Amino acid sequence: MQVIVLGGGLMGSSAAFFLARRGASVTLIDTGAIGAGATVASFGNIRRTGRNLEQLPLAHRARALWAEAERLLGRDVEFRATGHLRLIFDADGLADMRAYAEAARPRGLDLEELDAETLRRRFPGVGAAIAASFSPQDGSANPRLVGPAFAEAAARLGARVLPHTAVTGIAATDAGFAVDTSRGTLSAEVLLNCAGARGKEIAARFDEEVPLTIHGPQMGVTEPLPHRILPVVGMWSRDHGAYLRQVERGNVVFGGGVERVPVAPETGLARADPARLPAQLRKVVRLLPALRDVTVIRQWSGSEGYVADMLPVMGRSHTTPGLFHAFGFCGHGFQLGPGVGDAMAELILSGRCETPLAPFDIGRFAA
């Protein structure tokens, strides 16, 4: 089977890899560099804690694949199962954590509750939280490495990878699809829409409207410091919770804490807002007070697609045979990436998927 994958972020590149691994003839197209969109702007969080419960089966599938990433891809993408620690500062946060833990347990996610004394003994230096949750098998990976690693591994399996390729037209044909590009017209039986924030535009070409808006995360990184923070650290919060992790070279990457930045729809470019940094850092320092006097060396952002119900679009088109979608991951897609690629490859090539995808079906917007 011939498949064209539109979008070379983590979703598209992993789909290209798993499709090629299952024997499909794959062409992966991106208008920019592979993995240079929302993927590279990501925090790199491999987090199941707090995720929408309907996403947990997909998140478990993805977590198993993250553990195999180095073997599958032939290179280290810096996946580390250092754990995910989520601090609680008030009664609302404690109630939310306990309710989530109870609901997630029968769905395969066990969260450990830490009281204040245990938290400070096991994780000295964290902020003055009243409690925390800990998920020991979660962690992080390097967003700058993983998209290109999947694409390179797909190419070794025979996939054609076309970065910096403009798409000027897409049409359904009797044989499948014709995609007009700056490299000529490409054809395939199947078209997989992994175009991220631009996925809405491709779906609309086939009369499928998705209520998606584009926003950007407010990300930053500090100067290198002695490496002392093992887990990813976040917070249970009903407003904008901050999060951070320390990479092995010592820098502390952080995000959240403030509203996401706007993105110009005509360009798709997102810029971090320096005016929001003080409010963001107040929450970051609440997580880890020792960062109070540390220098921030860089800020960045990127275009992310947010669907109105905060669930992604995944599965078959309802209007066009051979068209499939996997986009709109609402800023929470990095952990899901390998699971999305594997699930879509299974669905496209076998007609079924062992992971339930019905909650993400594009047909939910038809009314």
Side-chain angles (χ1 to χ4, degrees), residues 198-343:
R198 297 297 189 188
K200 172 183 177 178
E201 299 173 12
I202 294 171
R205 291 173 183 256
F206 297 95
D207 299 319
E208 294 185 291
E209 297 295 332
V210 175
L212 178 146
T213 55
I214 307 175
H215 306 281
Q218 177 95 351
M219 304 301 301
V221 64
T222 73
E223 62 184 315
L225 304 166
H227 193 278
R228 294 176 180 170
I229 309 166
L230 283 178
V232 176
V233 184
M235 64 172 67
W236 288 92
S237 175
R238 293 186 179 180
D239 58 5
H240 304 290
Y243 43 85
L244 61 86
R245 67 183 179 95
Q246 188 173 27
V247 301
E248 292 172 1
R249 62 194 64 86
N251 308 77
V252 176
V253 181
F254 61 87
V258 292
E259 290 276 358
R260 298 177 179 92
V261 300
V263 177
E266 62 278 4
T267 63
L269 297 178
R271 296 183 182 278
D273 182 0
R276 303 182 191 204
L277 184 60
Q280 184 178 39
L281 290 178
R282 281 192 288 273
K283 289 194 175 180
V284 170
V285 169
R286 194 178 190 193
L287 293 175
L288 200 67
L291 296 179
R292 185 177 304 277
D293 298 318
V294 171
T295 300
V296 175
I297 60 173
R298 187 167 69 89
Q299 290 183 272
W300 70 91
S301 186
S303 298
E304 297 175 334
Y306 288 80
V307 182
D309 60 8
M310 292 300 287
L311 291 175
V313 176
M314 282 185 69
R316 293 182 179 87
S317 164
H318 278 234
T319 64
T320 310
L323 174 63
F324 294 81
H325 302 291
F327 69 91
F329 286 87
C330 306
H332 308 297
F334 186 80
Q335 189 275 341
L336 299 176
V340 171
D342 193 34

Side-chain angles (χ1 to χ4, degrees), residues 344-357:
M344 293 308 298
E346 181 188 11
L347 178 63
I348 289 168
L349 296 178
S350 74
R352 56 172 296 279
C353 183
E354 66 180 22
T355 301
L357 301 179

Side-chain angles (χ1 to χ4, degrees), residues 3-91:
V3 184
I4 291 175
V5 181
L6 295 179
L10 176 53
M11 307 307 176
S13 61
S14 66
F17 170 76
F18 287 112
L19 282 162
R21 195 166 180 251
R22 291 171 181 257
S25 175
V26 184
T27 301
L28 176 65
I29 303 172
D30 197 280
T31 57
I34 298 298
T39 300
V40 80
S42 167
F43 176 69
N45 205 355
I46 310 298
R47 169 188 65 85
R48 290 172 293 172
T49 304
R51 186 172 293 281
N52 184 288
L53 294 173
E54 293 178 318
Q55 292 183 3
L56 281 178
L58 185 61
H60 295 325
R61 181 174 186 155
R63 173 58 184 81
L65 290 167
W66 279 111
E68 296 291 314
E70 186 168 358
R71 180 185 65 81
L72 289 171
L73 303 178
R75 63 179 292 190
D76 180 15
V77 294
E78 297 181 8
F79 168 68
R80 305 289 185 266
T82 55
H84 183 87
L85 180 69
R86 204 162 183 177
L87 305 186
I88 300 166
F89 293 97
D90 53 40

